[in-house]
């Protein structure tokens, strides 16, 4: 394919995402919903104007990394420390309950499987797919509403990060039973090592940036070096510790969230995001889908899968939040905020495919879950927040 | 290759480009020189930290398109109209003289070839490689010095654009003699049609943007739609008219240069450029090079090729500018500003390879020319401008 085709694809994505984004806002829904729908519209499912390409996938990857870096930059470190333990509890419930429910769903459809049998692991694997929250859409929605920084926003964000890590550990355990290559203990150690590494490097980088920031405030080099740190941490997390790149980028954001120019960095990142990388990332979720290959039995399983996926997260996280003394409506916000699934669910599904624990046809269900949760989460969150604002507190 | 490797490559490019850029500025040279040297340093020639990849090539392509769009946005349309005819003259001389000199150089090295012989076309082709000015580095240097908008800057810019078009026509003629596929007349017609198209579409888009700009001033949709126009024009130019994508992007910039928010668009584009796309583009010039494959005879030819390439442009454009009543030092600035070669020279060389008019070994000479001209142009321009400022006018 000639390189100039990418210009066409990017132009179509940018225009479609912006138009659908504006339309979504006119319907009082968040812009991201419009951008995902734009991807569905122009993708192979409907108009077929844009096809997924390696280049778009990589741009989208940069997009989600930039998004998580921004989220990290806007974190209030004191809030994070305060919400940390509770977030960890919420994350555990948000992994455990969907895991069990997913496995039970599979058995309900395909018959009970005894502990340790081949079918049993397949059932557990379907549950595993349901564990990983994908926080990027929630982040973008909360950001649009200006609610990213509050106690609820920070709790969701930190719970999602911890959830991600637990999800990866669970995945490694489940696959570990099937294949001898995977070492669950090594994953645990790697995760601990990564956070030790992040604290050490984080402290050094924080001091360096603080120095540079005082010496050259508001110069281009600050956001440029910030971007480099974000990319480097994303790489190091994946390459040396087997942690998701978005976790690395988020940690990079946290490292820089307390320097004086953190807002300046975030502003420059946002310009990069909203001009190109953001629309490409959100549209790419829609682009991945091809609704033609769906038949009736998959459709029914998918509907049940989506329902279980959403409800189990809301219940698991929401009830735990309520037990941790959040107000009722805030618990619901946390549950809903945690129910989005994204690329991590696809990555998990891909790993299951390689390990022989999943057949390709279930990809459709995973994509359904991603789309339904991506579209409904922002809408429900917006309703919850506006209800909350309307009611007397 | 796993996708997270791109994070490593991008992080290294960004950091190296920034450090070398700052170092270049400390040595009173323009930043772009530092960025190109950064590419050489981290590329396969020296450290080998980063390898050229499809993804980087495509990012660099977007980088040069954004750069030309910015240049278009900052154009003063009245200046362009005023300088147009003179720029066309300068461009013609800047194509003709290097073409003849390049052909003579080849004959001086490999013996005289009679008109119409195989060797004759090879000689003419070496001349053809020398025709196309690559204005992006000059643009960036003039921008850094704040000299993009003056009469000299606008003349260089418009001459380079016209030069590009004449260069493409010449290329098509030369290849047309060898292969029956290429139709020189069609190229001429296409070029005329493109500009007719650009004027019509340009007028419509200008009115639309003017309307949007009055209704929603300083909103995100203005730069986003501007970027989309830039990408669309780049695509349409290449796909439907066979014109270089950068010409399309520049025309898109010209279309929007008179709306009220053109500065706002340019500012957002610049943030995108300097954070990621710019450094990747300039570093990629250095990345393309591998100095290991060079031997003595190629080295001597390359030195002569570079010297002829630079001097013929300076003489051709400079003397024409002087004849058009530019001051002596301004004529020299124009000549030097026109002497940079870039990706267009590589594209021409690539076409010659396919047509059997060039052997791969001459690629090294072309890359030498690009590097030497890319590094020396900004430095010489800076010296000329500071001399000019120091002398009484």
């Amino acid at each position: 394919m000639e390189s100039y085709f990418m210009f066409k694809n990017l132009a179509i994505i940018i225009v479609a995402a912006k138009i659908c984004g504006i339309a979504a806002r006119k319907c009082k829904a968040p812009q991201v919903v419009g951008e995902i729908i734009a991807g569905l519209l122009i993708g192979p499912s409907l108009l077929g104007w844009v096809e997924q390409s390696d280049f778009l996938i990589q741009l989208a990857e940069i997009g989600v990394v930039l998004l998580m870096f921004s989220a990290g930059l806007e974190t209030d470190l004191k809030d994070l420390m305060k919400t940390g333990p509770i977030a960890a509890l919420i994350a555990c419930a948000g992994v455990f309950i969907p895991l069990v429910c997913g496995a039970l769903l599979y058995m309900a459809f395909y018959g009970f499987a005894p502990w340790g049998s081949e079918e049993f692991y397949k059932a557990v694997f379907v549950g595993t797919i349901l564990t990983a929250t994908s926080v990027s859409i929630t982040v973008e929605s909360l950001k649009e509403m200006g609610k990213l920084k509050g106690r609820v926003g920070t709790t969701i964000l930190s719970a999602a990060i911890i959830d991600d890590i637990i999800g990866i550990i669970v995945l490694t355990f489940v696959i570990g039973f099937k294949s001898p290559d995977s070492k669950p203990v090594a994953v645990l150690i790697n995760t601990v090592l990564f956070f030790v590494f992040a604290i050490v490097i984080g402290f050094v980088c924080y001091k360096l940036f603080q120095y540079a920031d005082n010496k050259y405030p508001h110069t281009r080099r600050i956001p440029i070096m910030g971007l480099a740190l974000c990319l480097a941490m994303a790489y190091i997390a994946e390459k040396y510790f087997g942690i998701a790149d978005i976790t690395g980028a988020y940690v990079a954001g946290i490292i820089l969230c307390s320097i004086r120019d953190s807002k300046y960095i975030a502003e420059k990142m946002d310009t990069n995001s909203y001009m190109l990388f953001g629309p490409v990332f959100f549209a790419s979720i829609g682009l991945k889908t091809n609704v033609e290959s769906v038949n009736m039995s998959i459709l029914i399983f998918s509907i049940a899968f989506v329902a279980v996926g959403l409800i189990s997260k809301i219940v698991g996280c929401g009830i735990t939040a309520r037990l941790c003394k959040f107000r009722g409506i805030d618990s619901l916000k946390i549950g809903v905020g945690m129910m989005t699934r994204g690329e991590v669910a696809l990555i998990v599904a891909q790993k299951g495919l390689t390990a022989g624990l999943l057949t390709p046809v279930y990809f459709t269900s995973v994509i359904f879950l991603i789309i339904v949760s991506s579209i409904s989460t922002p809408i429900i969150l917006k309703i919850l927040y506006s209800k909350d604002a309307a009611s007397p507190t």
Side-chain angles (χ1 to χ4, degrees), chain A:
Chain A
M1 197 163 75
E2 295 285 339
S3 73
Y4 55 77
F5 273 98
M6 73 180 167
F7 296 128
K8 185 187 81 169
N9 290 343
L10 289 177
I12 292 174
I13 290 174
I14 291 171
V15 172
K18 193 66 211 170
I19 291 174
C20 294
I22 292 174
R25 258 221 306 240
K26 289 242 186 268
C27 308
K28 311 271 174 218
Q31 280 212 50
V32 272
V33 176
E35 295 183 350
I36 296 167
I37 292 175
L40 268 176
L41 275 178
I42 60 178
S45 300
L46 290 163
L47 295 170
W49 288 351
V50 173
E51 265 181 40
Q52 192 68 279
S53 70
D54 281 354
F55 181 67
L56 286 180
I57 291 172
Q58 286 174 300
L59 275 193
E61 190 88 7
I62 295 181
V64 63
V65 159
L66 290 186
L67 202 65
M68 293 309 291
F69 180 53
S70 281
L73 277 173
E74 292 179 22
T75 307
D76 188 317
L77 208 56
K78 279 184 203 143
D79 267 4
L80 183 66
M81 295 292 189
K82 236 174 15 198
T83 54
I86 290 174
L89 266 183
I90 293 173
C92 286
V95 166
F96 183 71
I97 294 181
L99 179 65
V100 173
C101 292
L104 291 178
L105 170 78
Y106 187 87
M107 291 187 191
F109 265 77
Y110 303 103
F112 175 77
W115 182 276
S117 68
E118 176 89 14
E119 277 300 300
F120 176 78
Y121 288 122
K122 283 190 181 169
V124 171
F125 196 81
V126 168
T128 308
I129 297 175
L130 289 181
T131 59
T133 287
S134 183
V135 81
S136 47
I137 286 154
T138 303
V139 164
E140 188 64 19
S141 315
L142 292 174
K143 219 169 168 181
E144 265 188 74
M145 295 186 288
K147 302 288 184 194
L148 190 57
K149 278 186 143 179
R151 186 164 164 243
V152 172
T154 312
T155 305
I156 293 176
L157 212 59
S158 13
I161 296 293
I162 300 168
D163 170 296
D164 225 32
I165 294 162
I166 303 178
I168 290 165
I169 297 172
V170 170
L171 172 70
T172 324
F173 268 103
V174 174
I175 290 185
F177 283 106
K178 275 278 293 186
S179 96
D181 286 359
S182 201
K183 296 190 191 77
V185 180
V187 174
L188 265 175
I189 295 173
N190 271 343
T191 308
V192 173
L193 283 180
F194 174 71
F195 283 96
V196 172
F197 168 82
I199 290 168
V200 174
I201 283 291
F203 185 75
V204 174
C205 288
Y206 172 72
K207 285 288 168 200
L208 282 175
F209 270 87
Q210 209 178 27
Y211 169 79
D213 197 16
N214 284 327
K215 200 155 179 202
Y216 315 99
H218 274 59
T219 49
R220 289 182 173 188
R221 63 192 73 173
I222 306 284
I224 289 176
M225 289 302 173
L227 175 60
L229 179 67
C230 155
L231 295 168
M233 287 298 285
Y235 171 71
I236 291 168
E238 280 250 13
K239 166 87 182 170
Y240 297 104
F241 300 96
I243 306 269
D245 49 7
I246 49 175
T247 305
Y250 179 71
V251 168
I254 301 256
I255 291 172
L256 300 182
C257 74
S258 308
I259 71 166
R260 221 178 34 194
D261 255 349
S262 68
K263 269 204 174 166
Y264 181 71
I265 303 180
E267 195 187 292
K268 298 296 168 198
M269 288 302 146
D270 278 357
T271 305
N272 270 288
S273 277
Y274 80 73
M275 291 290 284
L276 188 66
F277 293 107
V280 169
F281 168 63
F282 292 111
S284 77
I285 297 175
L287 278 180
K288 279 194 189 107
T289 321
N290 192 345
V291 289
E292 272 173 25
S293 61
V294 177
N295 65 38
M296 209 41 175
S297 89
I298 287 297
L299 196 67
I300 294 171
F301 179 81
S302 297
I303 291 170
F305 182 77
V306 170
V308 168
L310 301 186
I311 293 168
S312 62
K313 272 278 179 191
I314 298 178
V315 170
C317 299
I319 288 180
T320 317
R322 191 80 187 90
L323 292 176
C324 296
K325 304 230 167 76
F326 274 91
R327 289 185 309 145
I329 191 150
D330 284 344
S331 307
L332 199 54
K333 283 178 204 163
I334 291 174
V336 172
M338 293 287 289
M339 82 184 185
T340 31
R341 308 305 205 288
E343 64 299 333
V344 184
L346 280 176
I347 293 168
V348 171
Q350 183 62 47
K351 291 241 161 99
L353 204 66
T354 324
L357 284 167
L358 195 77
T359 33
V361 79
Y362 294 107
F363 261 85
T364 324
S365 312
V366 177
I367 289 170
F368 266 136
L369 175 60
I370 293 173
I371 291 176
V372 173
S373 65
S374 304
I375 294 178
S376 58
T377 302
I379 296 175
I380 301 176
L381 274 182
K382 196 159 182 178
I383 294 172
L384 288 176
Y385 270 100
S386 55
K387 264 201 176 170
D388 198 14
S391 71
T393 44

